[in-house]
Amino acid sequence: MLELKPVIKKFYEINEEKLPEDQAQKSFIRWLLADDNYNFFMRLFRIEAGGHINSHFHPWEHEIFILEGKGRIKIGTKIYNVEEGNFIYIPPNADHEYWAESELKFLCIIPSKPTAEELDKPLPY
């Protein structure tokens, strides 16, 4: 059995990557914990004011905590206003989308393996 070691780092030690323009605008990610041997991945997103992450879905859930800023998140057919201190659960295969009204920073934790079947279209939430 693989023995995992503790990890303690500063977030700024991890390179911030710009999300591809065909997926997002003015949006960035840091993969804080990203080893396939972990059960979960931890990511830090930063969306500049006026930025956007396009609508998408996939067979894993999201656990999100808003660290800073204000914005909106679409889950299924509903749009929610979010701000610092909100926590959010997005089910697997739910269509979701993000907009930043002010610079928006959030932690997003996802499982390292899908938690549902991969679908051709999102589930109707």
Side-chain angles (χ1 to χ4, degrees), residues 62-96:
H62 290 52
E63 287 81 20
I64 295 172
F65 185 79
I66 307 293
L67 298 167
E68 293 178 20
K70 290 186 180 184
R72 293 174 292 136
I73 295 179
K74 179 179 74 117
I75 304 172
T77 59
K78 288 187 165 185
I79 296 176
Y80 303 89
N81 293 315
V82 296
E83 63 185 7
E84 180 179 327
N86 283 133
F87 61 92
I88 300 122
Y89 172 76
I90 300 176
N93 290 311
D95 186 43
H96 51 288

mmCIF file of all heavy atoms in Angstrom, residues 62-96:
data_model
loop_
_atom_site.group_PDB
_atom_site.id
_atom_site.type_symbol
_atom_site.label_atom_id
_atom_site.label_comp_id
_atom_site.label_asym_id
_atom_site.label_seq_id
_atom_site.Cartn_x
_atom_site.Cartn_y
_atom_site.Cartn_z
ATOM 1 N N HIS A 62 -18.509 18.841 -6.661
ATOM 2 C CA HIS A 62 -17.642 19.952 -6.239
ATOM 3 C C HIS A 62 -18.056 20.381 -4.838
ATOM 4 O O HIS A 62 -19.245 20.487 -4.557
ATOM 5 C CB HIS A 62 -17.858 21.187 -7.117
ATOM 6 C CG HIS A 62 -17.379 21.078 -8.506
ATOM 7 N ND1 HIS A 62 -17.707 20.055 -9.341
ATOM 8 C CD2 HIS A 62 -16.606 21.913 -9.238
ATOM 9 C CE1 HIS A 62 -17.146 20.264 -10.524
ATOM 10 N NE2 HIS A 62 -16.477 21.381 -10.486
ATOM 11 N N GLU A 63 -17.087 20.659 -4.015
ATOM 12 C CA GLU A 63 -17.304 21.326 -2.734
ATOM 13 C C GLU A 63 -16.513 22.630 -2.813
ATOM 14 O O GLU A 63 -15.304 22.611 -3.042
ATOM 15 C CB GLU A 63 -16.808 20.469 -1.565
ATOM 16 C CG GLU A 63 -17.699 19.269 -1.266
ATOM 17 C CD GLU A 63 -17.476 18.063 -2.169
ATOM 18 O OE1 GLU A 63 -16.415 17.950 -2.795
ATOM 19 O OE2 GLU A 63 -18.389 17.228 -2.247
ATOM 20 N N ILE A 64 -17.226 23.736 -2.670
ATOM 21 C CA ILE A 64 -16.636 25.057 -2.904
ATOM 22 C C ILE A 64 -16.784 25.910 -1.652
ATOM 23 O O ILE A 64 -17.817 25.874 -0.981
ATOM 24 C CB ILE A 64 -17.333 25.750 -4.099
ATOM 25 C CG1 ILE A 64 -17.044 24.966 -5.386
ATOM 26 C CG2 ILE A 64 -16.918 27.212 -4.230
ATOM 27 C CD1 ILE A 64 -17.822 25.449 -6.582
ATOM 28 N N PHE A 65 -15.751 26.704 -1.369
ATOM 29 C CA PHE A 65 -15.821 27.697 -0.299
ATOM 30 C C PHE A 65 -15.331 29.021 -0.866
ATOM 31 O O PHE A 65 -14.205 29.108 -1.361
ATOM 32 C CB PHE A 65 -14.974 27.294 0.912
ATOM 33 C CG PHE A 65 -15.137 28.242 2.060
ATOM 34 C CD1 PHE A 65 -16.255 28.156 2.880
ATOM 35 C CD2 PHE A 65 -14.208 29.237 2.297
ATOM 36 C CE1 PHE A 65 -16.415 29.051 3.936
ATOM 37 C CE2 PHE A 65 -14.369 30.128 3.341
ATOM 38 C CZ PHE A 65 -15.479 30.038 4.162
ATOM 39 N N ILE A 66 -16.183 30.056 -0.808
ATOM 40 C CA ILE A 66 -15.832 31.376 -1.337
ATOM 41 C C ILE A 66 -14.967 32.095 -0.305
ATOM 42 O O ILE A 66 -15.402 32.370 0.816
ATOM 43 C CB ILE A 66 -17.090 32.221 -1.655
ATOM 44 C CG1 ILE A 66 -18.054 31.469 -2.568
ATOM 45 C CG2 ILE A 66 -16.679 33.579 -2.241
ATOM 46 C CD1 ILE A 66 -17.577 31.205 -3.975
ATOM 47 N N LEU A 67 -13.740 32.415 -0.692
ATOM 48 C CA LEU A 67 -12.786 33.088 0.191
ATOM 49 C C LEU A 67 -12.918 34.602 0.125
ATOM 50 O O LEU A 67 -12.815 35.287 1.146
ATOM 51 C CB LEU A 67 -11.355 32.701 -0.194
ATOM 52 C CG LEU A 67 -11.008 31.227 -0.075
ATOM 53 C CD1 LEU A 67 -9.694 30.936 -0.785
ATOM 54 C CD2 LEU A 67 -10.935 30.832 1.389
ATOM 55 N N GLU A 68 -13.104 35.130 -1.094
ATOM 56 C CA GLU A 68 -13.173 36.585 -1.299
ATOM 57 C C GLU A 68 -14.072 36.885 -2.489
ATOM 58 O O GLU A 68 -14.153 36.101 -3.423
ATOM 59 C CB GLU A 68 -11.792 37.161 -1.638
ATOM 60 C CG GLU A 68 -10.772 37.096 -0.544
ATOM 61 C CD GLU A 68 -9.413 37.658 -0.993
ATOM 62 O OE1 GLU A 68 -9.360 38.418 -1.976
ATOM 63 O OE2 GLU A 68 -8.412 37.315 -0.342
ATOM 64 N N GLY A 69 -14.683 38.060 -2.437
ATOM 65 C CA GLY A 69 -15.386 38.590 -3.592
ATOM 66 C C GLY A 69 -16.857 38.228 -3.659
ATOM 67 O O GLY A 69 -17.423 37.614 -2.756
ATOM 68 N N LYS A 70 -17.456 38.660 -4.784
ATOM 69 C CA LYS A 70 -18.876 38.422 -5.061
ATOM 70 C C LYS A 70 -19.025 37.969 -6.496
ATOM 71 O O LYS A 70 -18.272 38.373 -7.378
ATOM 72 C CB LYS A 70 -19.689 39.701 -4.865
ATOM 73 C CG LYS A 70 -19.809 40.141 -3.442
ATOM 74 C CD LYS A 70 -20.741 41.317 -3.319
ATOM 75 C CE LYS A 70 -20.829 41.716 -1.849
ATOM 76 N NZ LYS A 70 -21.789 42.787 -1.662
ATOM 77 N N GLY A 71 -20.032 37.140 -6.710
ATOM 78 C CA GLY A 71 -20.307 36.680 -8.063
ATOM 79 C C GLY A 71 -21.599 35.895 -8.112
ATOM 80 O O GLY A 71 -22.437 35.981 -7.204
ATOM 81 N N ARG A 72 -21.734 35.136 -9.180
ATOM 82 C CA ARG A 72 -22.911 34.297 -9.385
ATOM 83 C C ARG A 72 -22.445 32.921 -9.838
ATOM 84 O O ARG A 72 -21.446 32.805 -10.541
ATOM 85 C CB ARG A 72 -23.843 34.910 -10.424
ATOM 86 C CG ARG A 72 -24.474 36.215 -9.962
ATOM 87 C CD ARG A 72 -25.276 36.896 -11.046
ATOM 88 N NE ARG A 72 -24.360 37.357 -12.082
ATOM 89 C CZ ARG A 72 -24.558 37.224 -13.388
ATOM 90 N NH1 ARG A 72 -25.645 36.650 -13.851
ATOM 91 N NH2 ARG A 72 -23.673 37.677 -14.251
ATOM 92 N N ILE A 73 -23.203 31.913 -9.438
ATOM 93 C CA ILE A 73 -22.952 30.543 -9.888
ATOM 94 C C ILE A 73 -24.265 29.973 -10.381
ATOM 95 O O ILE A 73 -25.286 30.056 -9.682
ATOM 96 C CB ILE A 73 -22.388 29.659 -8.754
ATOM 97 C CG1 ILE A 73 -21.017 30.155 -8.316
ATOM 98 C CG2 ILE A 73 -22.308 28.204 -9.200
ATOM 99 C CD1 ILE A 73 -20.404 29.356 -7.176
ATOM 100 N N LYS A 74 -24.227 29.416 -11.582
ATOM 101 C CA LYS A 74 -25.396 28.703 -12.108
ATOM 102 C C LYS A 74 -25.187 27.223 -11.812
ATOM 103 O O LYS A 74 -24.120 26.673 -12.092
ATOM 104 C CB LYS A 74 -25.553 28.902 -13.607
ATOM 105 C CG LYS A 74 -26.755 28.150 -14.189
ATOM 106 C CD LYS A 74 -26.904 28.374 -15.672
ATOM 107 C CE LYS A 74 -25.858 27.599 -16.405
ATOM 108 N NZ LYS A 74 -26.266 26.557 -17.298
ATOM 109 N N ILE A 75 -26.195 26.601 -11.212
ATOM 110 C CA ILE A 75 -26.204 25.151 -10.995
ATOM 111 C C ILE A 75 -27.513 24.660 -11.575
ATOM 112 O O ILE A 75 -28.587 25.044 -11.097
ATOM 113 C CB ILE A 75 -26.098 24.787 -9.500
ATOM 114 C CG1 ILE A 75 -24.855 25.409 -8.874
ATOM 115 C CG2 ILE A 75 -26.085 23.265 -9.326
ATOM 116 C CD1 ILE A 75 -24.776 25.264 -7.354
ATOM 117 N N GLY A 76 -27.420 23.837 -12.610
ATOM 118 C CA GLY A 76 -28.635 23.415 -13.305
ATOM 119 C C GLY A 76 -29.267 24.611 -13.985
ATOM 120 O O GLY A 76 -28.612 25.312 -14.761
ATOM 121 N N THR A 77 -30.509 24.902 -13.655
ATOM 122 C CA THR A 77 -31.220 26.025 -14.277
ATOM 123 C C THR A 77 -31.308 27.247 -13.368
ATOM 124 O O THR A 77 -31.876 28.260 -13.766
ATOM 125 C CB THR A 77 -32.649 25.597 -14.674
ATOM 126 O OG1 THR A 77 -33.343 25.159 -13.494
ATOM 127 C CG2 THR A 77 -32.627 24.469 -15.696
ATOM 128 N N LYS A 78 -30.760 27.155 -12.150
ATOM 129 C CA LYS A 78 -30.851 28.265 -11.193
ATOM 130 C C LYS A 78 -29.529 29.009 -11.105
ATOM 131 O O LYS A 78 -28.452 28.414 -11.164
ATOM 132 C CB LYS A 78 -31.228 27.764 -9.811
ATOM 133 C CG LYS A 78 -32.648 27.306 -9.679
ATOM 134 C CD LYS A 78 -32.922 26.997 -8.222
ATOM 135 C CE LYS A 78 -34.408 26.895 -7.990
ATOM 136 N NZ LYS A 78 -34.706 26.717 -6.571
ATOM 137 N N ILE A 79 -29.632 30.320 -10.908
ATOM 138 C CA ILE A 79 -28.454 31.162 -10.699
ATOM 139 C C ILE A 79 -28.504 31.684 -9.266
ATOM 140 O O ILE A 79 -29.534 32.194 -8.810
ATOM 141 C CB ILE A 79 -28.405 32.322 -11.713
ATOM 142 C CG1 ILE A 79 -28.253 31.756 -13.132
ATOM 143 C CG2 ILE A 79 -27.262 33.273 -11.382
ATOM 144 C CD1 ILE A 79 -28.282 32.785 -14.228
ATOM 145 N N TYR A 80 -27.373 31.541 -8.561
ATOM 146 C CA TYR A 80 -27.261 31.937 -7.160
ATOM 147 C C TYR A 80 -26.239 33.058 -7.013
ATOM 148 O O TYR A 80 -25.167 32.997 -7.624
ATOM 149 C CB TYR A 80 -26.801 30.751 -6.309
ATOM 150 C CG TYR A 80 -27.707 29.549 -6.406
ATOM 151 C CD1 TYR A 80 -27.494 28.577 -7.388
ATOM 152 C CD2 TYR A 80 -28.765 29.379 -5.516
ATOM 153 C CE1 TYR A 80 -28.328 27.471 -7.479
ATOM 154 C CE2 TYR A 80 -29.594 28.278 -5.596
ATOM 155 C CZ TYR A 80 -29.372 27.324 -6.588
ATOM 156 O OH TYR A 80 -30.202 26.224 -6.685
ATOM 157 N N ASN A 81 -26.558 34.056 -6.205
ATOM 158 C CA ASN A 81 -25.579 35.073 -5.829
ATOM 159 C C ASN A 81 -24.711 34.485 -4.725
ATOM 160 O O ASN A 81 -25.231 33.873 -3.781
ATOM 161 C CB ASN A 81 -26.272 36.341 -5.337
ATOM 162 C CG ASN A 81 -27.017 37.034 -6.445
ATOM 163 O OD1 ASN A 81 -26.502 37.194 -7.540
ATOM 164 N ND2 ASN A 81 -28.241 37.437 -6.173
ATOM 165 N N VAL A 82 -23.398 34.648 -4.858
ATOM 166 C CA VAL A 82 -22.477 34.113 -3.855
ATOM 167 C C VAL A 82 -21.497 35.205 -3.443
ATOM 168 O O VAL A 82 -21.233 36.135 -4.199
ATOM 169 C CB VAL A 82 -21.715 32.870 -4.369
ATOM 170 C CG1 VAL A 82 -22.679 31.718 -4.636
ATOM 171 C CG2 VAL A 82 -20.895 33.174 -5.599
ATOM 172 N N GLU A 83 -20.978 35.057 -2.243
ATOM 173 C CA GLU A 83 -20.003 36.007 -1.722
ATOM 174 C C GLU A 83 -19.148 35.323 -0.667
ATOM 175 O O GLU A 83 -19.413 34.174 -0.276
ATOM 176 C CB GLU A 83 -20.700 37.228 -1.138
ATOM 177 C CG GLU A 83 -21.581 36.921 0.055
ATOM 178 C CD GLU A 83 -22.353 38.127 0.531
ATOM 179 O OE1 GLU A 83 -22.320 39.183 -0.124
ATOM 180 O OE2 GLU A 83 -22.998 38.012 1.588
ATOM 181 N N GLU A 84 -18.138 36.060 -0.225
ATOM 182 C CA GLU A 84 -17.225 35.570 0.799
ATOM 183 C C GLU A 84 -17.988 34.887 1.930
ATOM 184 O O GLU A 84 -18.966 35.435 2.443
ATOM 185 C CB GLU A 84 -16.431 36.753 1.338
ATOM 186 C CG GLU A 84 -15.443 36.421 2.404
ATOM 187 C CD GLU A 84 -14.670 37.641 2.871
ATOM 188 O OE1 GLU A 84 -14.409 38.536 2.044
ATOM 189 O OE2 GLU A 84 -14.336 37.689 4.066
ATOM 190 N N GLY A 85 -17.563 33.689 2.283
ATOM 191 C CA GLY A 85 -18.175 32.944 3.374
ATOM 192 C C GLY A 85 -19.183 31.899 2.931
ATOM 193 O O GLY A 85 -19.526 31.014 3.716
ATOM 194 N N ASN A 86 -19.673 31.981 1.692
ATOM 195 C CA ASN A 86 -20.608 30.960 1.212
ATOM 196 C C ASN A 86 -19.878 29.648 0.964
ATOM 197 O O ASN A 86 -18.732 29.634 0.534
ATOM 198 C CB ASN A 86 -21.276 31.368 -0.102
ATOM 199 C CG ASN A 86 -22.374 32.381 0.040
ATOM 200 O OD1 ASN A 86 -22.407 33.354 -0.702
ATOM 201 N ND2 ASN A 86 -23.294 32.166 0.953
ATOM 202 N N PHE A 87 -20.557 28.542 1.233
ATOM 203 C CA PHE A 87 -20.071 27.237 0.788
ATOM 204 C C PHE A 87 -21.138 26.630 -0.109
ATOM 205 O O PHE A 87 -22.328 26.886 0.055
ATOM 206 C CB PHE A 87 -19.693 26.317 1.958
ATOM 207 C CG PHE A 87 -20.811 25.990 2.904
ATOM 208 C CD1 PHE A 87 -21.579 24.859 2.713
ATOM 209 C CD2 PHE A 87 -21.063 26.804 3.992
ATOM 210 C CE1 PHE A 87 -22.609 24.544 3.587
ATOM 211 C CE2 PHE A 87 -22.084 26.500 4.875
ATOM 212 C CZ PHE A 87 -22.862 25.366 4.677
ATOM 213 N N ILE A 88 -20.699 25.851 -1.084
ATOM 214 C CA ILE A 88 -21.571 25.381 -2.158
ATOM 215 C C ILE A 88 -21.260 23.921 -2.452
ATOM 216 O O ILE A 88 -20.091 23.524 -2.461
ATOM 217 C CB ILE A 88 -21.334 26.212 -3.442
ATOM 218 C CG1 ILE A 88 -21.633 27.698 -3.187
ATOM 219 C CG2 ILE A 88 -22.147 25.694 -4.620
ATOM 220 C CD1 ILE A 88 -20.487 28.600 -3.448
ATOM 221 N N TYR A 89 -22.293 23.138 -2.697
ATOM 222 C CA TYR A 89 -22.130 21.771 -3.180
ATOM 223 C C TYR A 89 -22.746 21.706 -4.572
ATOM 224 O O TYR A 89 -23.892 22.113 -4.762
ATOM 225 C CB TYR A 89 -22.831 20.771 -2.255
ATOM 226 C CG TYR A 89 -22.845 19.372 -2.824
ATOM 227 C CD1 TYR A 89 -21.696 18.587 -2.796
ATOM 228 C CD2 TYR A 89 -23.985 18.849 -3.408
ATOM 229 C CE1 TYR A 89 -21.691 17.307 -3.333
ATOM 230 C CE2 TYR A 89 -23.993 17.572 -3.944
ATOM 231 C CZ TYR A 89 -22.842 16.806 -3.901
ATOM 232 O OH TYR A 89 -22.837 15.552 -4.437
ATOM 233 N N ILE A 90 -21.983 21.217 -5.531
ATOM 234 C CA ILE A 90 -22.477 21.014 -6.889
ATOM 235 C C ILE A 90 -22.465 19.514 -7.156
ATOM 236 O O ILE A 90 -21.399 18.886 -7.119
ATOM 237 C CB ILE A 90 -21.617 21.759 -7.926
ATOM 238 C CG1 ILE A 90 -21.618 23.264 -7.637
ATOM 239 C CG2 ILE A 90 -22.123 21.474 -9.340
ATOM 240 C CD1 ILE A 90 -20.718 24.084 -8.533
ATOM 241 N N PRO A 91 -23.637 18.905 -7.400
ATOM 242 C CA PRO A 91 -23.692 17.457 -7.627
ATOM 243 C C PRO A 91 -22.989 17.052 -8.924
ATOM 244 O O PRO A 91 -22.826 17.869 -9.836
ATOM 245 C CB PRO A 91 -25.188 17.158 -7.735
ATOM 246 C CG PRO A 91 -25.896 18.363 -7.261
ATOM 247 C CD PRO A 91 -24.965 19.520 -7.430
ATOM 248 N N PRO A 92 -22.608 15.776 -9.028
ATOM 249 C CA PRO A 92 -22.025 15.298 -10.280
ATOM 250 C C PRO A 92 -23.027 15.453 -11.423
ATOM 251 O O PRO A 92 -24.230 15.331 -11.219
ATOM 252 C CB PRO A 92 -21.725 13.828 -10.025
ATOM 253 C CG PRO A 92 -22.193 13.498 -8.663
ATOM 254 C CD PRO A 92 -22.717 14.732 -8.025
ATOM 255 N N ASN A 93 -22.510 15.733 -12.599
ATOM 256 C CA ASN A 93 -23.290 15.878 -13.836
ATOM 257 C C ASN A 93 -24.273 17.047 -13.813
ATOM 258 O O ASN A 93 -25.177 17.112 -14.636
ATOM 259 C CB ASN A 93 -23.997 14.571 -14.203
ATOM 260 C CG ASN A 93 -23.008 13.526 -14.650
ATOM 261 O OD1 ASN A 93 -22.146 13.786 -15.487
ATOM 262 N ND2 ASN A 93 -23.096 12.332 -14.081
ATOM 263 N N ALA A 94 -24.085 17.988 -12.896
ATOM 264 C CA ALA A 94 -24.894 19.209 -12.891
ATOM 265 C C ALA A 94 -24.189 20.249 -13.758
ATOM 266 O O ALA A 94 -22.987 20.483 -13.614
ATOM 267 C CB ALA A 94 -25.063 19.748 -11.479
ATOM 268 N N ASP A 95 -24.929 20.856 -14.662
ATOM 269 C CA ASP A 95 -24.388 21.955 -15.457
ATOM 270 C C ASP A 95 -24.084 23.094 -14.493
ATOM 271 O O ASP A 95 -24.894 23.415 -13.619
ATOM 272 C CB ASP A 95 -25.438 22.378 -16.491
ATOM 273 C CG ASP A 95 -24.923 23.413 -17.450
ATOM 274 O OD1 ASP A 95 -23.783 23.277 -17.911
ATOM 275 O OD2 ASP A 95 -25.670 24.370 -17.733
ATOM 276 N N HIS A 96 -22.903 23.704 -14.616
ATOM 277 C CA HIS A 96 -22.556 24.816 -13.729
ATOM 278 C C HIS A 96 -21.691 25.831 -14.470
ATOM 279 O O HIS A 96 -21.028 25.500 -15.452
ATOM 280 C CB HIS A 96 -21.883 24.327 -12.442
ATOM 281 C CG HIS A 96 -20.734 23.410 -12.637
ATOM 282 N ND1 HIS A 96 -20.859 22.102 -13.063
ATOM 283 C CD2 HIS A 96 -19.410 23.600 -12.459
ATOM 284 C CE1 HIS A 96 -19.674 21.535 -13.138
ATOM 285 N NE2 HIS A 96 -18.769 22.427 -12.785
#
